[in-house]
Amino acid sequence: MLSYQGPFSPRRLPENVAMNTSETGPGRMDPVRIDVATPSRAYAVTIADGALDRIGPLLDDLRVPARRFVVSSPLVWRLHGPRLSRSIDATPPILVPDGERFKHLATVTRIYDALVQANADRASAVITFGGGVIGDMAGFAAATYLRGIAVVHVPTTLLAQVDSAIGGKVGVNHPSGKNMIGAFHQPHAVIVDPAVLGTLPRREFRAGLYEVIKYGMTSSPGLFDRIARERKAIFARTPEALTPVIAESCRIKSSVVSADEREAGPRMILNFGHTAGHALEAVTKYRQYRHGEAVAYGMLVAAQLAATRGALAELNRQALADLVASLGPLPPIGDVSAGQLIEAMAHDKKIVAGRLRFVLPTDIGATTIVDDVTEGEIRSALKRVGFRT
Ligand SMILES: NC(=O)c1ccc[n+]([C@@H]2O[C@H](COP(=O)([O-])OP(=O)(O)OC[C@H]3O[C@@H](n4cnc5c(N)ncnc54)[C@H](O)[C@@H]3O)[C@@H](O)[C@H]2O)c1
Ligand SMILES: [Zn+2]
């Protein structure tokens, strides 16, 4: 039984998608199904310990086209490919490098070439099997190959499981900026196996957890408390600890995406921590921090700003700072200055009609969006968080 009984306890899978109980065995978590309903497509996010071993039948149940092309990276394939290939039709996977520095059109071209060579057609599906970089690149290839074929994400990093696999944003970087070339292409399904996180480097795991804290802070006091309460078990990566945390994060992302597929309004709240976070990544040329780490700093800045304005109780600002600190030290700020960050924020995508929009927390689990933050306020919040003048 799934022990999680929080206010947003996700729905169970219907019978036909449920796991075979004789295989589930003692200690295995029941699968969780979360529905995403966007105007362009409705699909299920299935979270199941051991899903990799049953991916073929799961895809059949979810009516994913039968010709399936797995796109993965050499590392992920070496670690987890054998399990996947035992249950999915054994066409050789399309392997491409997955570092952020390979997230560009030349790598996508390699995916197109492999699809062409294998005669992939409209009745084919791309199965992305990797972190956010693989999901974004292979998802973009699927969005554009033959003007769009089916894609299923099987994310293997915590960040990809709770964030990038859901919502349909796909794309690649351009030398002039991150994710400059892309599309919205909703997947046919998302299948999450928490067990794959066992091999994730600790730093990558923590980077994903900061995004989970983001969901707690913006939308779910229950999730926020759960991270604090079960931190040790979460770090031990037991399916019992991970499944409810991933499920609740996916539920929040799914409900926001369902309400606002193209980020016209409500989806904006998921940008909490991302205004200063993106600026920090850009100033340090995407080399010094994992995305989640930069978002952690960004959340601290936004919370400081909100507390100074009196929009967030100091107690709650401190609770966020304590939870972030409890995951371990963030990479140091070094000599990044408040001025550099403010300059970078001036190029932010979230600027509308010349005004920078900030997502400010007002409570644990609640936010407000403001567009009247002054440069002086930002500068003082950055300094309080530790950036030099
Ligand atoms: N589409 C969206 O909505 C969205 C949202 C957030 C982030 N993103 C994108 O996601 C990307 C970041 O994703 P990421 O953090 O997953 O990084 P990533 O894909 O680069 O993966 C991080 C590293 O972990 C390795 N890895 C993956 N799975 C593993 C596993 N199970 N065990 C061991 N190692 C494993 C990868 O090989 C890689 O070296 C960025 O490019 C970002 O723009 C997209
Ligand atoms: Zn993010």
Side-chain angles (χ1 to χ4, degrees):
M1 280 292 287
L2 188 71
S3 58
Y4 180 48
Q5 296 296 336
F8 302 115
S9 186
R11 290 207 288 115
R12 296 289 157 73
L13 281 174
E15 278 310 302
N16 66 338
V17 196
M19 294 295 169
N20 177 338
T21 40
S22 64
E23 281 177 19
T24 304
R28 269 242 161 119
M29 306 288 297
D30 278 352
V32 176
R33 172 187 165 129
I34 294 158
D35 291 309
V36 187
T38 68
S40 54
R41 177 176 300 284
Y43 54 98
V45 179
T46 302
I47 303 158
D49 181 28
L52 275 198
D53 304 314
R54 302 172 188 78
I55 210 99
L58 267 173
L59 294 176
D60 293 342
D61 284 338
L62 295 163
R63 296 198 178 77
V64 172
R67 292 196 69 209
R68 296 161 186 163
F69 295 90
V70 176
V71 181
S72 188
S73 76
L75 174 69
V76 171
W77 191 254
R78 184 164 56 74
L79 291 171
H80 300 288
R83 279 181 62 206
L84 193 82
S85 55
R86 270 196 289 276
S87 103
I88 201 169
D89 204 10
T91 36
I94 300 168
L95 299 183
V96 293
D98 68 351
E100 190 69 38
R101 69 183 194 287
F102 294 107
K103 192 181 165 184
H104 48 51
L105 280 176
T107 312
V108 174
T109 300
R110 289 176 54 178
I111 302 174
Y112 295 141
D113 291 347
L115 291 172
V116 170
Q117 205 173 8
N119 291 318
D121 56 18
R122 282 256 164 83
S124 304
V126 166
I127 315 295
T128 80
F129 185 49
V133 170
I134 288 290
D136 279 14
M137 289 195 300
F140 184 70
T144 44
Y145 180 73
L146 300 180
R147 297 200 179 83
I149 63 172
V151 64
V152 171
H153 294 300
V154 184
T156 63
T157 63
L158 182 57
L159 178 121
Q161 293 187 346
V162 301
D163 190 354
S164 63
I166 305 167
K169 282 196 203 173
V170 293
V172 293
N173 303 330
H174 182 269
S176 67
K178 234 177 99 70
N179 298 329
M180 292 272 288
I181 299 159
F184 282 94
H185 187 58
Q186 300 293 344
H188 272 55
V190 179
I191 298 177
V192 174
D193 185 346
V196 297
L197 301 183
T199 56
L200 198 63
R202 192 176 165 89
R203 185 173 180 193
E204 298 291 345
F205 184 74
R206 267 169 46 181
L209 270 183
Y210 297 119
E211 293 276 6
V212 176
I213 294 181
K214 175 195 77 177
Y215 290 122
M217 193 67 191
T218 57
S219 318
S220 171
L223 180 60
F224 190 95
D225 292 344
R226 179 179 280 272
I227 305 163
R229 202 173 59 237
E230 299 195 0
R231 182 171 48 86
K232 284 215 173 90
I234 291 169
F235 270 111
R237 308 183 203 180
T238 62
E240 295 75 18
L242 285 179
T243 302
V245 163
I246 295 169
E248 174 69 342
S249 302
C250 290
R251 189 205 59 77
I252 295 165
K253 174 100 191 216
S254 301
S255 66
V256 172
V257 162
S258 298
D260 180 20
E261 183 177 14
R262 301 220 161 205
E263 206 170 316
R267 198 165 171 170
M268 170 83 194
I269 69 164
L270 298 185
N271 283 326
F272 169 55
H274 284 60
T275 306
H278 281 151
L280 184 56
E281 285 184 284
V283 163
T284 54
K285 306 213 165 14
Y286 300 91
R287 292 202 192 113
Q288 214 162 313
Y289 304 98
R290 297 299 298 147
H291 169 71
E293 294 165 348
V295 168
Y297 275 118
M299 292 192 292
L300 298 178
V301 171
Q304 182 61 60
L305 233 160
T308 308
R309 281 189 161 204
L312 176 72
E314 172 56 24
L315 195 75
N316 291 332
R317 187 204 63 76
Q318 191 61 52
L320 174 68
D322 289 347
L323 187 55
V324 167
S326 77
L327 301 193
L330 284 166
I333 286 171
D335 59 357
V336 179
S337 74
Q340 282 173 293
L341 290 172
I342 288 168
E343 166 67 24
M345 282 181 220
H347 302 291
D348 197 283
K349 275 188 283 189
K350 291 176 284 301
I351 293 187
V352 176
R355 282 171 173 267
L356 186 60
R357 291 201 288 173
F358 249 97
V359 183
L360 296 185
T362 53
D363 199 347
I364 291 169
T367 54
T368 182
I369 295 171
V370 297
D371 67 357
D372 62 347
V373 174
T374 65
E375 194 180 311
E377 280 180 285
I378 300 176
R379 193 176 293 277
S380 116
L382 287 167
K383 279 200 273 187
R384 299 274 304 257
V385 169
F387 294 95
R388 67 176 178 80
T389 41

